[in-house]
Amino acid sequence: MQEAAHLDDFVARVGGLCASGEPGAFFRSQVQLTVLAASGWAAEHVRQLLTDVCRQPERDVPGMADSGLVVAQGAGWTLTLRAVPAPSPPGILVSAAAHCLIAPLGPNPALVDVYARPAHQRPDALDGQTLAPLGTRTVARGQVLALDAGQRLAAFAQPQAACPYLLLASAPVFAYRLAYDRMTLCPVQVISADLTATRLTYAIRLLAAAGRPTSGPRLEELSHHPQHEVRWEAIRALFRVDRPAGTARLREAAADDPHPEIRITAAAGLGHVPAPVQPVRVT
């Protein structure tokens, strides 16, 4: 019961901070995270979890995901119990969409490579700006590493001994994450952090594959979606099911789409669109 009391107190205090709406309130949760990590609550939680699973191997574990175990969450924050993973995919660094606080739990300190993100870098475009390495931080038990999503990127150094840790994440502050090449530190991929946008993108691809002209009006609507990956996927699909309407949207996108990569790609695409066949005039 003592361990549960530690978590209850953490939830109440962090919930109050995040609900305050004050600038920097999330990062003031470092004190509460340090106390929770030092309380022994996490070890007891895992012990009880393993005991329950051994008794009922077929039972589902609430909160279990590929990236860890969600143990508590509230409006504007999520607390996850994790262990240092191998880099996946190898050679890639991925920015976070949310602010993060990392608190190691084991006897071995966490070794974390920290990078500075370029100032004013768009989170949704490959602008060529590289990360600046800030070195490897050693974060021991009792310490917390704070990462502002817009300013810092971190990845656990490899190799190192297994290190359990608590991750407190804010609500997303960006709709996208950027993947960087670990050798060159250049951005190589834009990754959507919005599940709704991802679902829309897949649905649009299915509509395009079906090739039904009746999908045109819906695709036309989605071609004006505020998120650029949905917008571009819809323009491509519209071109496939309704060539005249798709060509018109390509011209509009090439001229005034707010995203630079869509403007460039749409203009390049127009160069491959065959000119309409002119009717032969009989005199």
Side-chain angles (χ1 to χ4, degrees), residues 102-161:
I102 296 172
L105 295 171
N108 299 313
L111 304 178
V112 186
D113 295 329
V114 182
Y115 304 84
R117 298 188 64 181
H120 312 299
Q121 182 178 49
R122 287 187 61 142
D124 63 346
L126 303 179
D127 58 8
Q129 297 187 74
T130 60
L131 298 172
L134 299 178
T136 301
R137 289 278 306 275
T138 300
V139 189
R141 185 173 181 177
Q143 299 178 323
V144 172
L145 176 64
L147 298 168
D148 184 305
Q151 299 178 12
R152 297 287 185 268
L153 184 155
F156 287 97
Q158 297 294 327
Q160 64 179 293

Side-chain angles (χ1 to χ4, degrees), residues 19-94:
S20 70
E22 299 176 6
F26 172 79
F27 289 105
R28 290 204 292 276
S29 301
Q30 292 182 62
V31 174
Q32 282 69 40
L33 186 61
T34 302
V35 171
L36 183 67
S39 69
W41 164 83
E44 176 59 26
H45 182 74
V46 172
R47 186 197 67 78
Q48 185 60 54
L49 180 64
L50 288 175
T51 300
D52 293 344
V53 170
C54 288
R55 288 173 179 165
Q56 294 180 284
E58 73 283 356
R59 73 188 289 266
D60 291 331
V61 179
M64 183 64 76
D66 291 339
S67 57
L69 177 67
V70 176
V71 293
Q73 57 189 152
W77 62 274
T78 301
L79 179 68
T80 310
L81 178 60
R82 305 187 180 197
V84 172
S88 179
I92 295 294
L93 300 165
V94 182

Side-chain angles (χ1 to χ4, degrees), residues 2-21:
Q2 184 179 9
E3 286 75 18
H6 282 300
L7 182 61
D8 290 343
D9 184 63
F10 175 87
V11 169
R13 291 176 180 272
V14 173
L17 281 170
C18 291
S20 70

